[in-house]
């Protein structure tokens, strides 16, 4: 790798720290003591340089790339125009097992759903990344700023809107990145029931699981038929007809 192979991305929220280069008076409220700003700016520069050095020295991971476009509809034009951004581009890097190792996604809407808070926060892109990485373990999610223009999120700004929109966007990206792939599930627990016999608890990693599906067990190299499966709902087990990425059955 060389430094020419890197793309450094940044996005703005209304809850991010100011940098030393261009402190806008309307944002800093005529701040005169910039000691903290200078210290943070220096720390961030050193952190970025260290990150690039670490990446340059890291081993390469063979992967393939594929591209899909999902959609969301919760942006609106703050100037009152009718255009609404809907496209959610999704670029997925897959390992040799076909599972995502990195997911890059975008949406053309300003990340300001949380409103003005008192802590640093990545707004709905950060919430979406958490959803994606939770649904696809051992993967990395990165938000790429889209052509936001005058597109703002709809709804009353606050933490609830930030979390809601992030969850919706993350789920859409997960579906786009995994739904068309072959089913892969991970058995994370097995128990023996006196009446039901062996019960396997599975996390869906990619694809879709439906009743009567015949799956290959890679450990025993034998086929196994899934007659039916359940999702735990409180103290009850509810039989369901379909499970997708991130579901536990």
């Amino acid at each position: 790798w060389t430094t020419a192979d890197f793309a450094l991305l940044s996005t703005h929220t209304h809850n991010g720290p100011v940098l030393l280069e261009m402190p806008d008076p309307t944002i800093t409220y005529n701040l005169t003591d910039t000691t903290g700003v200078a210290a943070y700016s220096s720390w961030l520069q050193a952190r970025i340089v260290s990150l690039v050095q670490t990446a340059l020295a890291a081993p390469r991971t063979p992967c393939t790339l594929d591209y899909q476009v999902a959609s969301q509809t919760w942006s609106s034009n703050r100037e009152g125009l009718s255009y609404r951004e809907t496209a959610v581009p999704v670029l997925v890097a897959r390992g040799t097992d076909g599972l995502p190792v990195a997911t890059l996604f975008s949406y053309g809407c300003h990340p300001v759903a949380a409103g003005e808070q008192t802590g640093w926060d990545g707004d709905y892109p950060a919430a979406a990344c958490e959803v994606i990485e939770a649904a696809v373990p051992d993967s990395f999610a990165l938000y790429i700023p889209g052509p936001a223009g005058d597109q703002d999120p709809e709804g009353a700004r606050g933490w609830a809107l930030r979390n809601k929109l992030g969850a919706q966007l993350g789920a859409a990206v997960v579906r786009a990145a995994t739904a068309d792939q072959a089913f892969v599930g991970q058995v994370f627990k097995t128990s023996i029931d006196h009446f039901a016999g062996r019960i396997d608890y599975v996390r869906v990693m990619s694809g879709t699981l439906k009743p009567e599906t015949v799956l290959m067990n890679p450990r025993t190299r034998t086929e196994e038929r899934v007659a039916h499966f359940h999702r735990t709902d409180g103290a009850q087990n509810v039989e369901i007809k379909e499970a997708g990425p991130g579901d536990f059955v």
Side-chain angles (χ1 to χ4, degrees):
W1 289 13
T2 69
T3 53
D5 297 318
F6 282 85
L8 298 179
L9 301 175
S10 64
T11 185
H12 85 283
T13 74
H14 284 188
N15 297 300
V18 67
L19 296 177
L20 189 61
E21 285 79 2
M22 296 182 64
D24 191 314
T26 62
I27 297 176
T28 59
Y29 300 99
N30 298 313
L31 178 70
T32 56
D33 183 0
T34 59
T35 303
V37 175
Y40 172 77
S41 298
S42 297
W43 173 87
L44 181 61
Q45 292 171 359
R47 186 71 178 269
I48 292 174
V49 170
S50 176
L51 176 63
V52 172
Q53 291 173 333
T54 300
L56 286 170
R60 298 185 182 185
T61 301
C63 66
T64 59
L65 297 176
D66 56 78
Y67 177 77
Q68 300 85 25
V69 179
S71 67
Q72 292 287 275
T73 59
W74 40 262
S75 73
S76 63
N77 191 288
R78 62 188 178 188
E79 298 300 323
L81 301 179
S82 60
Y83 177 76
R84 181 191 299 268
E85 186 67 28
T86 60
V88 179
V90 180
L91 179 66
V92 184
R94 303 185 189 277
T96 54
D97 57 1
L99 294 177
V101 294
T103 303
L104 282 66
F105 66 103
S106 179
Y107 185 48
C109 182
H110 288 123
V112 295
E116 296 182 2
Q117 304 293 342
T118 57
W120 295 355
D121 180 64
D123 212 82
Y124 75 77
C129 287
E130 292 175 356
V131 170
I132 298 165
E133 292 177 353
V136 188
D138 302 321
S139 70
F140 174 77
L142 177 65
Y143 171 79
I144 301 176
D150 286 320
Q151 300 287 308
D152 277 358
E154 291 182 327
R157 296 184 183 181
W159 292 122
L161 183 65
R162 176 257 197 208
N163 296 335
K164 174 186 175 181
L165 299 183
Q168 291 179 6
L169 178 60
V173 172
V174 169
R175 288 194 298 270
T178 59
D180 292 336
Q181 301 300 308
F183 173 81
V184 176
Q186 180 184 38
V187 177
F188 61 91
K189 179 182 178 181
T190 298
S191 65
I192 302 298
D193 182 84
H194 180 71
F195 297 100
R198 191 186 78 177
I199 300 176
D200 292 323
Y201 297 84
V202 179
R203 181 175 193 171
V204 181
M205 309 292 283
S206 69
T208 303
L209 179 63
K210 296 182 179 181
E212 304 302 325
T213 300
V214 178
L215 303 174
M216 172 62 68
N217 186 324
R219 183 177 61 84
T220 62
R221 297 184 180 276
T222 59
E223 291 185 343
E224 299 183 10
R225 184 175 65 88
V226 180
H228 50 84
F229 48 92
H230 300 77
R231 175 182 291 135
T232 301
D233 184 6
Q236 303 295 320
N237 289 325
V238 180
E239 185 170 353
I240 58 177
K241 299 300 182 182
E242 184 174 303
D247 289 338
F248 291 86
V249 295

